[in-house]
Amino acid sequence: MDKRLLAQRFRDRLTRLMLREGCHRAAFADRLGLDRSALSLLLATDSARLPRADTLLQIASRMGVSTDWLLGAGEEDQIAPPSDAQIAMEENATYHNIPLLMRWHAEAAGTKIRYVPHRLPDLLRTPAIVAYEARQPEGADQREYEYIARHLDFKREPGTDMEVCMSVQSLENLAAGDFPWDGLAHDVRKAQLQHIIRVSDELYPSFRVFLFDERHVHTVPYTIFGTHRAAIYAGDIFLVLNQKEAVSRMQKHFETLIRHAVVQPHDFVRYVQSLEKTMTETPARQTVLS
């Protein structure tokens, strides 16, 4: 077969895979384990370039297709998903698996991310809250928690659109110093609310928060990355759903939370301001975390 025709078929198949994954070139290159420049060369329409054998095998393995299919053999109408695309588990042994979360957010850049946090959204946490939730030992280096808080600020990636659903009670308890915030000083909790107000106001409307009443609806914490991945937070592991039908059902669950929202995004900052203004100076109750 003519090399140019073979290269054209390879480009067509590679483009179909990129469309299936629903991501832009940078994220797709990361999934393939290639440099962005290498992927651009393979997709260039004015080139007869074909990948090396090891690169071809790597792409086939990561995408769950055969090398023959990549080179144009077979004319199936649909690309079968990778064999491991149904469900997976990812370790989260530390407070936050930052490299994993950064990769998922990068891969979902340019799509909508829908997020139900555990207590507070990652990008709205102050270093003091990170240290508290990570059970900071006496005399710990505060720079570690500043690093974590800074790298959890995923929303500042260009093109990211994020919706958050969280409970009213998580913020009310923070303002009141009730569980799980009963070990935090008043000024730390007040500073956290002020940080939420400042960042939320800065990022709106591409960052939108809905508040629901958890006395009426219940949920586990999870994040939906575009249309191809949902990750359910379970402490030291993430339960990862990659099947489109499963992700679609998680989307519907998120929409149910939105329908039950008692505070809409355009009122969110005003609501948090009202909580911050009504905070009274009371000693924080000390809680021993085992």
Side-chain angles (χ1 to χ4, degrees), residues 5 7 12 42 51 73-74 116 118 121 125 172 191 203-204 223 230 260 282:
L5 180 57
D12 290 344
L42 291 174
V116 180
H118 176 59
R125 287 181 167 96
E172 290 177 345
L203 298 179
Y204 182 81
T223 307
H260 284 86
T282 56

Side-chain angles (χ1 to χ4, degrees), residues 120-183:
L120 296 177
D122 287 339
L123 76 164
L124 296 183
R125 287 181 167 96
T126 62
I129 289 292
V130 171
Y132 177 73
E133 292 196 313
R135 304 183 183 187
Q136 171 188 357
E138 190 70 27
D141 189 345
Q142 191 67 20
R143 287 176 298 181
E144 175 185 354
Y145 304 103
E146 292 171 355
Y147 169 85
I148 293 174
R150 186 168 63 252
H151 283 79
L152 290 174
D153 195 359
F154 303 114
K155 176 60 195 72
R156 296 182 188 275
E157 291 298 318
T160 302
D161 183 82
M162 183 180 289
E163 290 181 340
V164 174
C165 274
M166 58 187 291
S167 73
V168 169
Q169 286 79 12
S170 61
L171 292 172
E172 290 177 345
N173 291 349
L174 177 64
D178 291 336
F179 180 83
W181 313 110
D182 45 341

